[in-house]
Amino acid sequence: MAHRDELSAGAKHKLIQAAAREKNPLEKLTYDSYKSNAGEEFKLYCRTKGDMDDKTLKWAFKLAEQNVGPFYKALKMGWKPKIKQSELNKNWARYLVALNQQKQPVAYTMFRFDMDDGDCVLYCYEIQISPDYRRKGLGKFMMQTLEACARHWSLEKVMLTVLNNNDNSQKFFKSIGYITDGTSPDVMKLEEYQILSKSTLG
């Protein structure tokens, strides 16, 4: 295949469409189980928003509210629950959910396949982990799964948005190789977020 920079916009759109058509774009990847260094095992599944049950979607919203609501409230943009609920219920949304050994959901990432500034990308809109299950390597595993998915479908990078006041989140993403994307707002614009990305080429 030609280098992504050499592909036309139409060819890149076809890559996005091919991934988006799949009911489970992770099916050919090894993603459905993870064991922490302490031996704790997790099962993972990937579903479209349409295949998610209402109980899990409500749990996802509450976890996002718990984890990032305070950061939003500290910013001018504020926490807007109706907007967050709308985002989590987009028809294009894909979910990767992790279950603990009691089969309870403990972490999720919501993502989509999209074009961004001329690049074909996997955009991670959310990754939320229940407080009791952090620092077990689960978040890193889930992000590596998204990166593997992007490579599998010949996409150029994984992108995400992080709040400027969420230092722990910024440190986490940078520790696993994410850098400020060229589309991130200039610091002089005083935006309350930045866009990070990681190339999946090569």
Side-chain angles (χ1 to χ4, degrees):
M1 178 179 289
H3 191 278
R4 304 304 182 282
D5 290 342
E6 299 171 359
L7 293 179
S8 67
K12 291 184 179 184
H13 274 289
K14 287 182 179 179
L15 294 175
I16 292 294
Q17 291 167 356
R21 277 195 299 268
E22 289 295 314
K23 192 174 182 68
N24 179 5
L26 307 181
E27 186 174 9
K28 295 182 180 179
L29 304 176
T30 303
Y31 78 94
D32 55 356
S33 64
Y34 169 74
K35 181 182 285 189
S36 72
N37 289 335
E40 194 168 7
E41 295 184 1
F42 300 88
K43 295 295 183 182
L44 295 94
Y45 65 81
C46 180
R47 291 180 187 166
T48 63
K49 182 267 170 185
D51 288 332
M52 291 284 285
D53 61 279
D54 288 341
K55 182 179 179 180
T56 304
L57 286 171
K58 289 178 181 178
W59 162 82
F61 169 77
K62 288 182 179 179
L63 183 59
E65 185 174 46
Q66 175 187 355
N67 285 358
V68 297
F71 294 102
Y72 277 96
K73 289 176 182 178
L75 299 172
K76 287 188 293 184
M77 68 175 71
W79 173 250
K80 299 174 181 176
K82 289 184 179 179
I83 291 177
K84 178 57 67 176
Q85 284 183 323
S86 175
E87 289 175 349
L88 293 172
N89 282 279
K90 295 292 186 183
N91 288 331
W92 45 252
R94 302 298 185 109
Y95 282 88
L96 175 61
V97 180
L99 307 176
N100 63 12
Q101 291 172 251
Q102 290 72 47
K103 297 183 180 180
Q104 300 167 326
V106 296
Y108 76 93
T109 176
M110 187 192 89
F111 65 98
R112 76 177 295 185
F113 305 105
D114 204 2
M115 293 293 296
D116 191 283
D117 199 40
D119 294 326
C120 48
V121 308
L122 185 156
Y123 210 109
C124 174
Y125 281 80
E126 295 278 340
I127 179 166
Q128 303 294 347
I129 301 171
S130 298
D132 291 344
Y133 292 88
R134 295 173 189 167
R135 295 179 174 82
K136 296 177 181 291
L138 183 58
K140 181 178 180 180
F141 175 78
M142 294 175 79
M143 290 306 300
Q144 288 174 335
T145 298
L146 296 189
E147 293 158 18
C149 178
R151 285 191 293 270
H152 177 76
W153 294 103
S154 300
L155 307 183
E156 294 170 273
K157 55 187 174 182
V158 175
M159 299 181 68
L160 56 93
T161 303
V162 63
L163 298 178
N164 287 342
N165 64 347
N166 193 338
D167 292 336
N168 286 338
S169 186
Q170 290 184 47
K171 288 177 182 177
F172 165 69
F173 289 120
K174 290 177 180 178
S175 74
I176 58 173
Y178 284 78
I179 61 174
T180 303
D181 190 76
T183 63
S184 191
D186 187 279
V187 292
M188 298 302 291
K189 293 184 178 180
L190 302 178
E191 296 287 1
E192 297 179 312
Y193 65 91
Q194 55 186 289
I195 298 172
L196 305 181
S197 66
K198 184 176 183 178
S199 173
T200 50
L201 300 177

